[in-house]
Amino acid sequence: MNLFTPTWFMEGLWHPPQTPSQLLVLLALAVFAGQQGRLFPGSLLLFFIASLIGGFVLNHFYTPNWNVELFLLVIALITSLLVVLRLELSPGLSKWVLLPFALISGVMLGLDSTPIMIPGLGNEITYNWLAGALTSMLLLFSVLNALSYVSRNLVNGVVLRVAGSWIATSALFVLTLLFVKQ
């Protein structure tokens, strides 16, 4: 099976990179964690995984009537602006600053991830799609976190600050397009 075979797992795997709000939140959170000197942050990653799964479960029982994508973009904007500011936090304090962003982002990402529901298909298809989305989100976060951790000292951190400004600009563009009347 290649990566382009349309299975439910692969559909879920390709969902986060193709959704701008989800990709921007993952980028911003991973870059912010890497900038703080946290490579694959253990407790942060565990809380992020738990909040993602909690968001998936919450999404299964509750369909929000508010725009989750808007909240994701605002989280991405705030987190990327923190990257641009380059706050020098102590390791203990950076954990407590990153933790709320990881928890809120995970729940919102879970609420924003819904597979296409076709009547008559079993729950195993939904679970395969969600497993693919979870795998993709964790892979994206881990790879981006590693890249930002390695490049955090390049040119005195300017590389990550520029990346943060691009993420903030992208979030503003997508937010603007959300509010354009059709």
PDB file of all heavy atoms in Angstrom, residues 16-40:
ATOM      1  N   PRO A  16      -4.884  16.831   8.788  1.00  0.00           N
ATOM      2  CA  PRO A  16      -4.267  18.005   9.423  1.00  0.00           C
ATOM      3  C   PRO A  16      -3.358  18.829   8.508  1.00  0.00           C
ATOM      4  O   PRO A  16      -3.420  20.062   8.543  1.00  0.00           O
ATOM      5  CB  PRO A  16      -3.493  17.413  10.601  1.00  0.00           C
ATOM      6  CG  PRO A  16      -4.201  16.144  10.906  1.00  0.00           C
ATOM      7  CD  PRO A  16      -4.647  15.614   9.581  1.00  0.00           C
ATOM      8  N   PRO A  17      -2.519  18.215   7.658  1.00  0.00           N
ATOM      9  CA  PRO A  17      -1.701  19.063   6.784  1.00  0.00           C
ATOM     10  C   PRO A  17      -2.517  19.831   5.742  1.00  0.00           C
ATOM     11  O   PRO A  17      -2.051  20.825   5.210  1.00  0.00           O
ATOM     12  CB  PRO A  17      -0.755  18.082   6.083  1.00  0.00           C
ATOM     13  CG  PRO A  17      -0.796  16.841   6.863  1.00  0.00           C
ATOM     14  CD  PRO A  17      -2.109  16.807   7.553  1.00  0.00           C
ATOM     15  N   GLN A  18      -3.727  19.372   5.457  1.00  0.00           N
ATOM     16  CA  GLN A  18      -4.558  20.032   4.453  1.00  0.00           C
ATOM     17  C   GLN A  18      -5.543  21.025   5.057  1.00  0.00           C
ATOM     18  O   GLN A  18      -6.280  21.674   4.323  1.00  0.00           O
ATOM     19  CB  GLN A  18      -5.332  18.984   3.645  1.00  0.00           C
ATOM     20  CG  GLN A  18      -4.452  18.105   2.815  1.00  0.00           C
ATOM     21  CD  GLN A  18      -5.222  17.005   2.116  1.00  0.00           C
ATOM     22  OE1 GLN A  18      -6.370  16.746   2.411  1.00  0.00           O
ATOM     23  NE2 GLN A  18      -4.568  16.343   1.185  1.00  0.00           N
ATOM     24  N   THR A  19      -5.575  21.148   6.377  1.00  0.00           N
ATOM     25  CA  THR A  19      -6.475  22.082   7.044  1.00  0.00           C
ATOM     26  C   THR A  19      -5.627  23.231   7.598  1.00  0.00           C
ATOM     27  O   THR A  19      -4.858  23.028   8.540  1.00  0.00           O
ATOM     28  CB  THR A  19      -7.233  21.376   8.183  1.00  0.00           C
ATOM     29  OG1 THR A  19      -7.840  20.186   7.665  1.00  0.00           O
ATOM     30  CG2 THR A  19      -8.301  22.265   8.767  1.00  0.00           C
ATOM     31  N   PRO A  20      -5.770  24.434   7.038  1.00  0.00           N
ATOM     32  CA  PRO A  20      -4.876  25.536   7.436  1.00  0.00           C
ATOM     33  C   PRO A  20      -4.885  25.844   8.931  1.00  0.00           C
ATOM     34  O   PRO A  20      -3.819  26.049   9.524  1.00  0.00           O
ATOM     35  CB  PRO A  20      -5.400  26.727   6.632  1.00  0.00           C
ATOM     36  CG  PRO A  20      -6.116  26.137   5.484  1.00  0.00           C
ATOM     37  CD  PRO A  20      -6.669  24.841   5.969  1.00  0.00           C
ATOM     38  N   SER A  21      -6.042  25.860   9.549  1.00  0.00           N
ATOM     39  CA  SER A  21      -6.090  26.217  10.965  1.00  0.00           C
ATOM     40  C   SER A  21      -5.371  25.170  11.820  1.00  0.00           C
ATOM     41  O   SER A  21      -4.650  25.516  12.760  1.00  0.00           O
ATOM     42  CB  SER A  21      -7.539  26.386  11.427  1.00  0.00           C
ATOM     43  OG  SER A  21      -8.272  25.196  11.212  1.00  0.00           O
ATOM     44  N   GLN A  22      -5.533  23.903  11.496  1.00  0.00           N
ATOM     45  CA  GLN A  22      -4.862  22.860  12.262  1.00  0.00           C
ATOM     46  C   GLN A  22      -3.352  22.885  12.039  1.00  0.00           C
ATOM     47  O   GLN A  22      -2.574  22.753  12.987  1.00  0.00           O
ATOM     48  CB  GLN A  22      -5.433  21.490  11.888  1.00  0.00           C
ATOM     49  CG  GLN A  22      -6.859  21.321  12.324  1.00  0.00           C
ATOM     50  CD  GLN A  22      -7.381  19.916  12.099  1.00  0.00           C
ATOM     51  OE1 GLN A  22      -6.639  19.014  11.720  1.00  0.00           O
ATOM     52  NE2 GLN A  22      -8.664  19.730  12.333  1.00  0.00           N
ATOM     53  N   LEU A  23      -2.944  23.092  10.812  1.00  0.00           N
ATOM     54  CA  LEU A  23      -1.517  23.143  10.515  1.00  0.00           C
ATOM     55  C   LEU A  23      -0.860  24.334  11.204  1.00  0.00           C
ATOM     56  O   LEU A  23       0.236  24.211  11.759  1.00  0.00           O
ATOM     57  CB  LEU A  23      -1.303  23.215   9.000  1.00  0.00           C
ATOM     58  CG  LEU A  23       0.136  23.192   8.512  1.00  0.00           C
ATOM     59  CD1 LEU A  23       0.822  21.899   8.941  1.00  0.00           C
ATOM     60  CD2 LEU A  23       0.183  23.352   7.012  1.00  0.00           C
ATOM     61  N   LEU A  24      -1.521  25.481  11.214  1.00  0.00           N
ATOM     62  CA  LEU A  24      -0.944  26.667  11.851  1.00  0.00           C
ATOM     63  C   LEU A  24      -0.811  26.489  13.360  1.00  0.00           C
ATOM     64  O   LEU A  24       0.182  26.922  13.949  1.00  0.00           O
ATOM     65  CB  LEU A  24      -1.782  27.898  11.520  1.00  0.00           C
ATOM     66  CG  LEU A  24      -1.677  28.390  10.071  1.00  0.00           C
ATOM     67  CD1 LEU A  24      -2.685  29.490   9.809  1.00  0.00           C
ATOM     68  CD2 LEU A  24      -0.273  28.859   9.773  1.00  0.00           C
ATOM     69  N   VAL A  25      -1.794  25.865  13.991  1.00  0.00           N
ATOM     70  CA  VAL A  25      -1.702  25.633  15.435  1.00  0.00           C
ATOM     71  C   VAL A  25      -0.560  24.671  15.747  1.00  0.00           C
ATOM     72  O   VAL A  25       0.213  24.902  16.685  1.00  0.00           O
ATOM     73  CB  VAL A  25      -3.041  25.099  15.995  1.00  0.00           C
ATOM     74  CG1 VAL A  25      -2.872  24.535  17.379  1.00  0.00           C
ATOM     75  CG2 VAL A  25      -4.074  26.191  16.008  1.00  0.00           C
ATOM     76  N   LEU A  26      -0.444  23.614  14.977  1.00  0.00           N
ATOM     77  CA  LEU A  26       0.646  22.662  15.202  1.00  0.00           C
ATOM     78  C   LEU A  26       2.009  23.312  14.974  1.00  0.00           C
ATOM     79  O   LEU A  26       2.947  23.089  15.743  1.00  0.00           O
ATOM     80  CB  LEU A  26       0.467  21.446  14.294  1.00  0.00           C
ATOM     81  CG  LEU A  26      -0.695  20.526  14.648  1.00  0.00           C
ATOM     82  CD1 LEU A  26      -0.951  19.530  13.528  1.00  0.00           C
ATOM     83  CD2 LEU A  26      -0.437  19.812  15.951  1.00  0.00           C
ATOM     84  N   LEU A  27       2.115  24.122  13.934  1.00  0.00           N
ATOM     85  CA  LEU A  27       3.362  24.849  13.677  1.00  0.00           C
ATOM     86  C   LEU A  27       3.715  25.771  14.840  1.00  0.00           C
ATOM     87  O   LEU A  27       4.841  25.760  15.340  1.00  0.00           O
ATOM     88  CB  LEU A  27       3.213  25.693  12.409  1.00  0.00           C
ATOM     89  CG  LEU A  27       3.531  25.063  11.071  1.00  0.00           C
ATOM     90  CD1 LEU A  27       3.029  25.955   9.946  1.00  0.00           C
ATOM     91  CD2 LEU A  27       4.999  24.834  10.933  1.00  0.00           C
ATOM     92  N   ALA A  28       2.751  26.579  15.250  1.00  0.00           N
ATOM     93  CA  ALA A  28       3.010  27.563  16.306  1.00  0.00           C
ATOM     94  C   ALA A  28       3.386  26.885  17.623  1.00  0.00           C
ATOM     95  O   ALA A  28       4.333  27.304  18.296  1.00  0.00           O
ATOM     96  CB  ALA A  28       1.783  28.459  16.494  1.00  0.00           C
ATOM     97  N   LEU A  29       2.668  25.856  17.995  1.00  0.00           N
ATOM     98  CA  LEU A  29       2.940  25.172  19.260  1.00  0.00           C
ATOM     99  C   LEU A  29       4.304  24.477  19.231  1.00  0.00           C
ATOM    100  O   LEU A  29       5.070  24.553  20.200  1.00  0.00           O
ATOM    101  CB  LEU A  29       1.828  24.165  19.558  1.00  0.00           C
ATOM    102  CG  LEU A  29       1.844  23.518  20.930  1.00  0.00           C
ATOM    103  CD1 LEU A  29       1.649  24.573  22.015  1.00  0.00           C
ATOM    104  CD2 LEU A  29       0.748  22.471  21.013  1.00  0.00           C
ATOM    105  N   ALA A  30       4.633  23.821  18.125  1.00  0.00           N
ATOM    106  CA  ALA A  30       5.910  23.122  18.022  1.00  0.00           C
ATOM    107  C   ALA A  30       7.087  24.098  18.017  1.00  0.00           C
ATOM    108  O   ALA A  30       8.106  23.859  18.670  1.00  0.00           O
ATOM    109  CB  ALA A  30       5.939  22.259  16.769  1.00  0.00           C
ATOM    110  N   VAL A  31       6.938  25.209  17.310  1.00  0.00           N
ATOM    111  CA  VAL A  31       8.018  26.198  17.263  1.00  0.00           C
ATOM    112  C   VAL A  31       8.188  26.858  18.634  1.00  0.00           C
ATOM    113  O   VAL A  31       9.317  27.073  19.090  1.00  0.00           O
ATOM    114  CB  VAL A  31       7.747  27.241  16.152  1.00  0.00           C
ATOM    115  CG1 VAL A  31       8.704  28.407  16.256  1.00  0.00           C
ATOM    116  CG2 VAL A  31       7.856  26.587  14.787  1.00  0.00           C
ATOM    117  N   PHE A  32       7.090  27.153  19.304  1.00  0.00           N
ATOM    118  CA  PHE A  32       7.179  27.764  20.626  1.00  0.00           C
ATOM    119  C   PHE A  32       7.853  26.818  21.622  1.00  0.00           C
ATOM    120  O   PHE A  32       8.702  27.231  22.408  1.00  0.00           O
ATOM    121  CB  PHE A  32       5.788  28.171  21.107  1.00  0.00           C
ATOM    122  CG  PHE A  32       5.788  28.959  22.389  1.00  0.00           C
ATOM    123  CD1 PHE A  32       6.612  30.059  22.546  1.00  0.00           C
ATOM    124  CD2 PHE A  32       4.955  28.615  23.428  1.00  0.00           C
ATOM    125  CE1 PHE A  32       6.618  30.797  23.725  1.00  0.00           C
ATOM    126  CE2 PHE A  32       4.941  29.336  24.608  1.00  0.00           C
ATOM    127  CZ  PHE A  32       5.777  30.432  24.753  1.00  0.00           C
ATOM    128  N   ALA A  33       7.508  25.535  21.569  1.00  0.00           N
ATOM    129  CA  ALA A  33       8.134  24.562  22.470  1.00  0.00           C
ATOM    130  C   ALA A  33       9.618  24.402  22.144  1.00  0.00           C
ATOM    131  O   ALA A  33      10.454  24.335  23.047  1.00  0.00           O
ATOM    132  CB  ALA A  33       7.423  23.212  22.371  1.00  0.00           C
ATOM    133  N   GLY A  34       9.975  24.367  20.863  1.00  0.00           N
ATOM    134  CA  GLY A  34      11.377  24.252  20.480  1.00  0.00           C
ATOM    135  C   GLY A  34      12.184  25.479  20.842  1.00  0.00           C
ATOM    136  O   GLY A  34      13.341  25.381  21.232  1.00  0.00           O
ATOM    137  N   GLN A  35      11.576  26.646  20.718  1.00  0.00           N
ATOM    138  CA  GLN A  35      12.263  27.885  21.064  1.00  0.00           C
ATOM    139  C   GLN A  35      12.576  27.944  22.558  1.00  0.00           C
ATOM    140  O   GLN A  35      13.585  28.502  22.961  1.00  0.00           O
ATOM    141  CB  GLN A  35      11.396  29.084  20.670  1.00  0.00           C
ATOM    142  CG  GLN A  35      12.070  30.419  20.877  1.00  0.00           C
ATOM    143  CD  GLN A  35      11.142  31.564  20.580  1.00  0.00           C
ATOM    144  OE1 GLN A  35       9.994  31.562  21.020  1.00  0.00           O
ATOM    145  NE2 GLN A  35      11.630  32.533  19.839  1.00  0.00           N
ATOM    146  N   GLN A  36      11.723  27.345  23.364  1.00  0.00           N
ATOM    147  CA  GLN A  36      11.955  27.325  24.810  1.00  0.00           C
ATOM    148  C   GLN A  36      12.968  26.256  25.224  1.00  0.00           C
ATOM    149  O   GLN A  36      13.215  26.059  26.406  1.00  0.00           O
ATOM    150  CB  GLN A  36      10.634  27.089  25.556  1.00  0.00           C
ATOM    151  CG  GLN A  36       9.631  28.189  25.360  1.00  0.00           C
ATOM    152  CD  GLN A  36      10.178  29.533  25.779  1.00  0.00           C
ATOM    153  OE1 GLN A  36      10.799  29.669  26.824  1.00  0.00           O
ATOM    154  NE2 GLN A  36       9.948  30.539  24.948  1.00  0.00           N
ATOM    155  N   GLY A  37      13.541  25.539  24.241  1.00  0.00           N
ATOM    156  CA  GLY A  37      14.553  24.539  24.551  1.00  0.00           C
ATOM    157  C   GLY A  37      13.953  23.229  25.001  1.00  0.00           C
ATOM    158  O   GLY A  37      14.565  22.498  25.773  1.00  0.00           O
ATOM    159  N   ARG A  38      12.776  22.915  24.512  1.00  0.00           N
ATOM    160  CA  ARG A  38      12.107  21.678  24.914  1.00  0.00           C
ATOM    161  C   ARG A  38      11.968  20.785  23.688  1.00  0.00           C
ATOM    162  O   ARG A  38      11.108  21.001  22.854  1.00  0.00           O
ATOM    163  CB  ARG A  38      10.760  21.986  25.537  1.00  0.00           C
ATOM    164  CG  ARG A  38      10.932  22.962  26.690  1.00  0.00           C
ATOM    165  CD  ARG A  38       9.822  23.062  27.649  1.00  0.00           C
ATOM    166  NE  ARG A  38       9.248  21.860  28.155  1.00  0.00           N
ATOM    167  CZ  ARG A  38       9.533  21.336  29.334  1.00  0.00           C
ATOM    168  NH1 ARG A  38      10.447  21.874  30.090  1.00  0.00           N
ATOM    169  NH2 ARG A  38       8.893  20.281  29.759  1.00  0.00           N
ATOM    170  N   LEU A  39      12.853  19.789  23.597  1.00  0.00           N
ATOM    171  CA  LEU A  39      12.816  18.825  22.509  1.00  0.00           C
ATOM    172  C   LEU A  39      11.958  17.646  22.940  1.00  0.00           C
ATOM    173  O   LEU A  39      12.260  16.998  23.941  1.00  0.00           O
ATOM    174  CB  LEU A  39      14.232  18.359  22.156  1.00  0.00           C
ATOM    175  CG  LEU A  39      14.342  17.316  21.056  1.00  0.00           C
ATOM    176  CD1 LEU A  39      13.842  17.889  19.733  1.00  0.00           C
ATOM    177  CD2 LEU A  39      15.775  16.851  20.918  1.00  0.00           C
ATOM    178  N   PHE A  40      10.908  17.378  22.204  1.00  0.00           N
ATOM    179  CA  PHE A  40       9.947  16.325  22.539  1.00  0.00           C
ATOM    180  C   PHE A  40       9.581  16.390  24.018  1.00  0.00           C
ATOM    181  O   PHE A  40       9.876  15.470  24.787  1.00  0.00           O
ATOM    182  CB  PHE A  40      10.479  14.942  22.187  1.00  0.00           C
ATOM    183  CG  PHE A  40      10.937  14.817  20.771  1.00  0.00           C
ATOM    184  CD1 PHE A  40      12.234  14.462  20.472  1.00  0.00           C
ATOM    185  CD2 PHE A  40      10.071  15.082  19.732  1.00  0.00           C
ATOM    186  CE1 PHE A  40      12.660  14.361  19.167  1.00  0.00           C
ATOM    187  CE2 PHE A  40      10.494  14.982  18.421  1.00  0.00           C
ATOM    188  CZ  PHE A  40      11.787  14.615  18.134  1.00  0.00           C
TER     189      PHE A  40
END
